[in-house]
Amino acid sequence: MGRDTSDFVSASIGGDPHHAILESPPQLSPSATVADALALIRSRLDCSLDSRTPEESTVLTASIIPLDSGCVLVTENHRLLGIITERDLVRLSLQEGHLETILLSQVMTAPVLGLQRSEFTNIFVALNLMKRQKIRHLPILEPDGFPSGLATISSLRRQLGHGFFLRFRLVHEIMTLQVVTVSPHDSLAVAVQRLCNRLIGSVVVVDPASPSDSPVALGILAEGDVLQLRTLGLDFSLVTVGDVMSTPHLLLHPEDTLGRAHELMSRLHVKHLMVTNSDGSLAGIVSEGDLVSMLDPIDLYGITEILQQQVQTLREARDHLLSHRRLDLEMAFQKSEFRLVYQPQLQLSDSSIRSSEALLRRHSPKHGTIPPAEFIPLAEQTDFICDLGKWALEQACRQTAEWNQQSKRDLSTAVNVSSIQLQRSDFVSQTLDALERTGLEGRLLKLELTESALVENITIAADIFLELQSHGIQIAIDDFGTGYASLAYLQHFSFDILKLDASFISGFDRKPKNQAIVKNVIELAQTLHFQVVAEGVESTAELELLRQLGCHVVQGYLISRPLEVVDWSGFWQHPHAADQGNGRAVSSTASGGIHMASP
Ligand code: C2E
Ligand code: CA
Ligand code: CA
């Protein structure tokens, strides 16, 4: 799942960066020659020609398509030593006849800048690096340094084309106006010399008879074309530009969108497109580099839009993650990994146990026991809490009804309800159904809701409570004191029980401030006729003080830890043995509860 998620997150603006990597780029050893490099290009060219569609073949007049990678990596013992690019080879191709004697180690560029695959998290990481270093090929390295992939301006452009709205920008915004031209009658050698001298990727062939201030464009010759002509073994001085130039049928105009430029480059497999006016005169030239370099994310979108996109990506990643987590919870549920344990609650007036709180537990064979603090928030985020809560409610009702039937007692049960469950329109009917199916009387069911759950559902909660209470069900405010509602505010809701949070109780006999709070809350609750339950009671000192202050019920490790169902059966028969608190005496009462000896 970890890998899934990181892939998902990295597929941010610009699309999945991994799709921009050309895998297994062409490689030669440093002792290979320039002729070998040309031959390698030739063989890869044959492969790519074979894979062209018939439509592409007819569009390309000179049967020329550039090499996909545009370079050869020079490697030795799995290590990247240098690189030799199309541009280097064009320059070298002018050296007639000696290509078999020139070793790559003599002419390659070294050292080469590479990028670790793990660092390639976004298209713009590679793009910015290439822009800053003024390079067009970026080897992608494995942790051991082996260049297993390659990102090029072309591969980035192809990937960016999907992720960006190129259609909003126009060709005339980015096209180069200073175009180097040649005549169709010039020899190929002249054209190549011009490419090398000016360090450019293409020359435009213009009609020498047309006016020099608005020359008519006839075709284009790019460095990739030259290279492939070189592999055919042509004598450059004997071939004219007119014989070998590309004469594209599909033209680009200044008012076209960059989306069209991108689409034409992809369709024709070219890196340079000439731009012509409607009368056929030359307007400029657009190279792949121009197209990509204007794709600055900040330029295109502005910071706000980028952030929005990132937020959207993260949101998708979160949803993706949550759906996995939900699946995990659902499977755990199907495999019966969830169960309920029941913590006894001691009534102080007669030291009897007449109620318990049902608490969820999950046991995973792989991770052991997982506490509710871990799975409840997840279940809430994924809405799975509705299924889980429904199950817990019915399970607790069934168990309590069964105990009461076996022991002829009137034990009640408290079930925790999440705020998400409360928001479901069928919550009341679900609860009543559970009572009906299990035969538990409504007066023996308590629903515990936190004050924040109340505040979040202020409008619906009041009505729901009244309806549930009309069936005898009692409503408890859980974790009181940890939320933001005051008692004065809460009295507007109709509820029956107030559960004082453990954080107030822990050691409160030694904390005057907490003591004052507890005292006040109990007094106010008594005035308003709520029953007060103190949670997390761990010491006799706490228990005694609570009794003095008029608290009605206590719950905590002092009385007992939450018990497994099997331990409760023993509890009915031998309450002494089952008391796992601090070994205090507990005994059954005639009135239907369980008595605990006073401490
Ligand atoms: P809670 O409703 O406040 O439950 C009381 C928690 O305090 C339980 O933790 C209980 O084991 C623990 N506790 C009881 N006595 C003592 C004590 O003396 N000292 C201390 N330190 N802790 C004590 P637990 O079982 O880990 O449950 C944690 C929370 O998970 C619960 O807090 C409740 O919010 C939630 N939860 C548990 N079961 C359910 C459920 O079925 N549905 C929902 N929505 N939430 C549940
Ligand atoms: Ca509770
Ligand atoms: Ca609580």
Side-chain angles (χ1 to χ4, degrees):
M1 179 153 84
R3 172 150 177 93
D4 270 22
T5 315
S6 68
D7 283 357
F8 209 89
V9 174
S10 63
S12 55
I13 45 173
D16 188 341
H18 295 113
H19 293 155
I21 298 178
L22 305 167
E23 302 296 344
S24 323
Q27 299 186 13
L28 286 173
S29 81
S31 55
T33 67
V34 171
D36 295 331
L38 278 169
L40 182 61
I41 286 176
R42 166 93 214 168
S43 68
R44 289 182 67 109
L45 174 66
D46 287 343
C47 295
S48 50
L49 280 172
D50 289 345
S51 65
R52 276 187 309 153
T53 65
E55 190 210 2
E56 287 165 349
S57 312
T58 54
V59 167
L60 291 159
T61 48
S63 291
I64 286 169
I65 59 171
L67 179 70
D68 57 354
S69 60
C71 71
V72 173
L73 299 183
V74 185
T75 57
E76 194 171 48
N77 298 331
H78 266 55
R79 300 223 138 259
L80 179 62
L81 295 185
I83 188 169
I84 186 131
T85 68
E86 229 171 40
R87 189 158 290 180
D88 300 329
L89 290 170
V90 168
R91 182 171 40 83
L92 291 164
S93 71
L94 285 174
Q95 307 191 3
E96 284 302 321
H98 295 103
L99 301 188
E100 299 77 13
T101 59
I102 307 173
L103 300 182
L104 294 184
S105 58
Q106 298 170 310
V107 292
M108 69 186 185
T109 303
V112 202
L113 184 75
L115 184 68
Q116 285 288 328
R117 200 177 273 266
S118 58
E119 289 167 356
F120 190 17
T121 53
N122 185 298
I123 297 281
F124 291 102
V125 169
L127 192 58
N128 283 333
L129 192 63
M130 290 161 85
K131 252 198 228 175
R132 250 185 296 131
Q133 303 292 330
K134 297 191 169 55
I135 54 175
R136 296 186 299 168
H137 310 86
L138 185 65
I140 305 296
L141 310 174
E142 295 304 314
D144 64 359
F146 177 65
S148 61
L150 182 74
T152 67
I153 292 289
S154 307
S155 72
L156 293 176
R157 173 184 61 78
R158 280 196 293 271
Q159 187 54 24
L160 280 170
H162 306 296
F164 281 88
F165 301 110
L166 289 168
R167 58 197 144 112
F168 297 132
R169 305 294 290 267
L170 302 179
V171 164
H172 69 76
E173 290 180 56
I174 62 156
M175 68 184 185
T176 305
L177 301 174
Q178 267 78 48
V179 186
V180 175
T181 60
V182 289
S183 149
H185 311 306
D186 284 335
S187 77
L188 186 53
V190 168
V192 174
Q193 195 70 60
R194 214 159 279 179
L195 282 176
C196 293
N197 292 349
R198 307 288 287 265
L199 286 175
I200 49 173
S202 66
V203 287
V204 172
V205 188
V206 294
D207 184 352
S210 57
S212 61
D213 55 346
S214 65
V216 171
L218 298 175
I220 188 165
L221 186 76
E223 57 188 353
D225 307 342
V226 172
L227 212 53
Q228 283 141 36
L229 291 167
R230 184 66 181 78
T231 69
L232 299 174
L234 294 179
D235 184 341
F236 282 10
S237 55
L238 299 179
V239 184
T240 69
V241 170
D243 294 334
V244 294
M245 69 183 182
S246 294
T247 53
H249 303 306
L250 302 170
L251 289 175
L252 202 58
H253 300 294
E255 297 310 320
D256 283 334
T257 67
L258 296 186
R260 179 169 158 83
H262 166 76
E263 190 243 344
L264 278 185
M265 280 183 193
S266 302
R267 189 127 64 98
L268 305 177
H269 296 275
V270 296
K271 296 175 183 173
H272 303 86
L273 289 170
M274 52 186 195
V275 186
T276 57
N277 298 310
S278 48
D279 62 359
S281 62
L282 181 65
I285 191 165
V286 170
S287 75
E288 192 166 48
D290 298 335
L291 195 61
V292 169
S293 65
M294 72 80 57
L295 286 178
D296 189 312
I298 294 176
D299 240 32
L300 268 183
Y301 280 115
I303 287 286
T304 322
E305 284 84 350
I306 290 175
L307 289 179
Q308 274 169 356
Q309 275 221 353
Q310 298 281 24
V311 165
Q312 180 58 25
T313 307
L314 289 173
R315 194 170 285 148
E316 282 166 13
R318 185 204 56 192
D319 290 349
H320 185 73
L321 190 73
L322 285 181
S323 70
H324 267 79
R325 298 252 164 111
R326 183 180 166 111
L327 208 65
D328 177 56
L329 288 170
E330 279 171 358
M331 304 240 300
F333 186 72
Q334 276 160 21
K335 288 191 261 167
S336 305
E337 289 182 12
F338 291 101
R339 69 180 195 286
L340 285 174
V341 291
Y342 299 83
Q343 187 173 33
Q345 297 178 329
L346 181 76
Q347 189 163 301
L348 288 178
S349 62
D350 62 354
S351 296
S352 67
I353 283 168
R354 295 166 187 276
S355 181
S356 72
E357 177 178 2
L359 294 161
L360 270 169
R361 294 288 177 266
R362 178 183 171 190
H363 180 83
S364 145
K366 202 160 128 203
H367 306 289
T369 300
I370 304 169
E374 237 171 75
F375 65 77
I376 295 282
L378 265 184
E380 288 182 330
Q381 282 164 26
T382 58
D383 266 8
F384 182 65
I385 192 70
C386 294
D387 295 344
L388 191 61
K390 186 180 168 199
W391 175 83
L393 178 73
E394 184 155 340
Q395 186 68 16
C397 291
R398 179 164 290 116
Q399 186 60 65
T400 310
E402 195 183 307
W403 276 334
N404 286 342
Q405 214 183 14
Q406 286 168 0
S407 62
K408 305 280 176 282
R409 285 172 227 264
D410 255 0
L411 192 75
S412 64
T413 189
V415 181
N416 291 285
V417 174
S418 149
S419 130
I420 318 264
Q421 288 171 272
L422 204 62
Q423 286 160 11
R424 287 285 176 101
S425 57
D426 58 353
F427 178 67
V428 173
S429 62
Q430 251 182 30
T431 308
L432 298 179
D433 284 354
L435 288 176
E436 176 139 8
R437 272 199 293 272
T438 59
L440 189 74
E441 287 177 58
R443 68 182 174 93
L444 298 180
L445 176 63
K446 300 166 187 167
L447 297 180
E448 297 196 355
L449 280 138
T450 60
E451 44 179 321
S452 38
L454 277 188
V455 176
E456 280 163 26
N457 301 287
I458 213 150
T459 45
I460 45 171
D463 292 345
I464 292 181
F465 288 1
L466 286 175
E467 204 178 338
L468 291 167
Q469 283 166 327
S470 74
H471 294 270
I473 298 168
Q474 290 176 278
I475 307 293
I477 305 299
D478 204 354
D479 302 345
F480 182 77
T482 58
Y484 20 75
S486 70
L487 194 53
Y489 171 82
L490 285 178
Q491 64 170 309
H492 297 298
F493 292 98
S494 157
F495 65 93
D496 310 279
I497 302 162
L498 189 144
K499 293 192 80 177
L500 253 173
D501 190 67
S503 56
F504 290 107
I505 306 300
S506 172
F508 89 120
D509 51 300
R510 288 171 278 115
K511 295 177 190 159
K513 217 168 163 182
N514 281 11
Q515 228 174 86
I517 295 172
V518 172
K519 183 169 180 282
N520 275 321
V521 172
I522 292 178
E523 274 170 14
L524 194 55
Q526 281 169 342
T527 320
L528 298 168
H529 304 292
F530 304 137
Q531 189 188 55
V532 181
V533 178
E535 292 190 283
V537 178
E538 293 185 354
S539 74
T540 28
E542 290 162 9
L543 182 124
E544 272 321 307
L545 193 51
L546 284 164
R547 193 197 295 277
Q548 279 170 31
L549 293 175
C551 176
H552 305 109
V553 175
V554 292
Q555 182 182 344
Y557 295 165
L558 177 71
I559 320 305
S560 168
R561 289 186 176 263
L563 299 176
E564 299 289 339
V565 172
V566 287
D567 294 329
W568 271 85
S569 325
F571 201 66
W572 298 126
Q573 283 138 32
H574 311 286
H576 298 267
D579 172 25
Q580 299 184 354
N582 62 351
R584 288 151 24 78
V586 184
S587 63
S588 299
T589 65
S591 59
I594 298 175
H595 250 160
M596 259 184 108
S598 301

